[in-house]
Amino acid sequence: MPIKTSIKRASGWLYLNSPKGRSQLRGAGVILMLHRVLADDASAALPHRNELCVGPKAFEGLLRWLPRHFDCVSLMDLLKDHQGTRGSGRPKVALTFDDGWRDNALNAFPLLRKHHIPASIFLSTDFIGSRQRFWWESVGETLWGSHGEEPRRQLIERLRKLGRPLPAAYFMNDRPKARSHALAQYLQSLKSLNHQALQLLTDACPPESLAQAMDWQQVRELEDSGLVRFGPHGASHALLPYLDDRRLDEELQRSHAALNQGCQQPLPVYCYPNGDHDERVRARVAAHRYPYALSTRAGICQGYDDPLALPRIGVSQRNASRPSLLAWRISRGNRS
């Protein structure tokens, strides 16, 4: 294990177990940000999946670990308790999932139900009950070779013609982890492409046997459990600051209408796609009567936080499987 990782793990353990650390965390509110729970941990551990994915073993370990140090509460309970001065009791934690992946229903929910831990799932509503696909998954898995060599080769050529050739490190590394790391960095660079270009790349990828996102029946089944509530994560997952006023309002209205039709009690919380927001976006979200919104800025909830730009702590396979690393991330967030 790298010495830097060992130091972070030790620091995280001390944060939760020393009197000083417990004092700093007392009464705090921590919102965790997850995306996917895959069917196995080895797949989730690859670098191009690690940040967005956890495996079932790591996820269940996290669900066992959290109640030892936090009160696991719903997102709304946490937000209502942390609008004023920080309390003096045990810290609270709330789980959130972005996008609405099908595996949230198949792999995450049975474990949430087993451990009686609530969660909030933020849906990109155009994808729910449809065959629309998230570009990161489709492009990344095609380039990884999950759909065969010929689709991979064709996509590499398409990207070259687009002026986005893959880096040499992607081709030169035979070791899966190193090659996956190069792919992860490359996928990050594609975020600068516009929504239309990313959609064209996604459309060029092979179709999949199952929809990537859950359907509305699954949404209703999870909501009926009483453990899961749903909120908006955009309609098309377009990055809101880059939309003009008309398209921004249409995006907000469409996701709001879909949730009102598909859910019994949608959350009054907006979750920004990719965490991207600015003053104009926050003003329009407030105008659509959302008192809260979630960002991807790392931090724990403080009473003075802008309620339309609340921080979260990201969960990956790496820190879910080593919760002391997650504790280190929380400790860093407590300093912000």
Side-chain angles (χ1 to χ4, degrees), residues 4-16 324-325 328:
K4 191 176 292 187
T5 300
S6 297
I7 291 171
K8 288 179 180 179
R9 292 185 68 180
S11 177
W13 186 91
L14 283 172
Y15 178 66
L16 290 181
S324 55
L325 283 179
W328 177 81

Side-chain angles (χ1 to χ4, degrees), residues 32-310:
L32 297 182
M33 174 181 64
L34 300 99
H35 290 77
R36 307 190 60 188
V37 177
L38 301 186
D40 68 273
D41 286 68
S43 295
L46 287 169
H48 74 278
R49 299 183 184 131
N50 169 74
E51 289 303 316
L52 296 182
C53 303
V54 298
K57 183 178 179 181
F59 185 57
E60 183 160 27
L62 178 67
L63 298 182
R64 294 182 187 279
W65 178 83
L66 286 172
R68 299 175 197 162
H69 305 283
F70 301 87
D71 289 338
C72 298
V73 301
S74 71
L75 177 62
M76 290 310 300
D77 284 344
L78 185 148
L79 294 178
K80 290 173 182 175
D81 285 350
H82 286 84
Q83 288 307 294
T85 304
R86 181 188 286 191
S88 59
R90 265 167 59 94
K92 294 179 173 61
V93 67
L95 273 61
T96 65
F97 290 80
D98 290 7
D99 302 326
W101 293 91
R102 189 179 188 88
D103 53 51
N104 291 181
L106 298 180
N107 301 328
F109 176 64
L111 294 172
L112 292 169
R113 182 171 54 191
K114 176 181 176 181
H115 293 277
H116 306 287
I117 292 179
S120 300
I121 300 178
F122 291 89
L123 306 176
S124 294
T125 53
D126 287 355
F127 294 78
I128 305 305
S130 79
R131 302 292 299 186
Q132 289 196 55
R133 298 178 288 173
F134 296 102
W135 73 266
W136 180 287
E137 169 73 9
S138 295
V139 173
E141 291 308 313
T142 300
L143 292 175
W144 185 245
S146 299
H147 303 300
E149 180 57 28
E150 184 58 21
R152 186 179 80 95
R153 186 193 64 77
Q154 291 178 2
L155 185 58
I156 290 172
E157 179 62 17
R158 183 180 288 264
L159 287 161
R160 186 188 67 78
K161 291 180 178 178
L162 189 63
R164 296 297 183 108
L166 274 86
Y170 168 82
F171 298 100
M172 295 174 62
N173 278 301
D174 292 330
R175 291 178 296 127
K177 188 173 181 179
R179 185 163 160 262
S180 176
H181 181 72
L183 178 57
Q185 292 183 317
Y186 177 74
L187 291 172
Q188 284 287 349
S189 75
L190 293 184
K191 287 185 175 182
S192 62
L193 292 174
N194 62 43
H195 182 72
Q196 183 179 11
L198 291 172
Q199 188 59 55
L200 288 172
L201 288 173
T202 303
D203 291 343
C205 296
E208 300 173 42
S209 57
L210 292 174
Q212 291 180 352
M214 65 179 72
D215 57 43
W216 286 109
Q217 181 178 344
Q218 289 171 315
V219 168
R220 287 188 288 271
E221 288 173 353
L222 266 61
E223 190 179 42
D224 287 345
S225 73
L227 275 179
V228 180
R229 290 186 67 182
F230 294 90
H233 189 52
S236 68
H237 202 276
L239 304 186
L240 303 183
Y242 302 99
L243 303 179
D244 61 32
D245 289 347
R246 180 188 63 81
R247 290 185 59 210
L248 174 57
D249 275 330
E250 194 274 334
E251 183 83 10
L252 295 170
Q253 289 166 358
R254 198 163 77 247
S255 60
H256 181 80
L259 279 160
N260 279 342
Q261 182 176 354
C263 298
Q264 295 178 10
Q265 194 178 12
L267 287 163
V269 184
Y270 207 91
C271 182
Y272 302 118
N274 205 43
D276 289 6
H277 60 92
D278 55 22
E279 185 176 354
R280 179 181 67 105
V281 168
R282 293 192 298 275
R284 295 314 303 157
V285 167
H288 284 262
R289 299 184 178 180
Y290 286 100
Y292 306 104
L294 303 180
S295 73
T296 56
R297 175 176 64 86
I300 69 171
C301 285
Q302 311 278 4
Y304 53 76
D305 281 317
D306 182 347
L308 293 171
L310 293 167

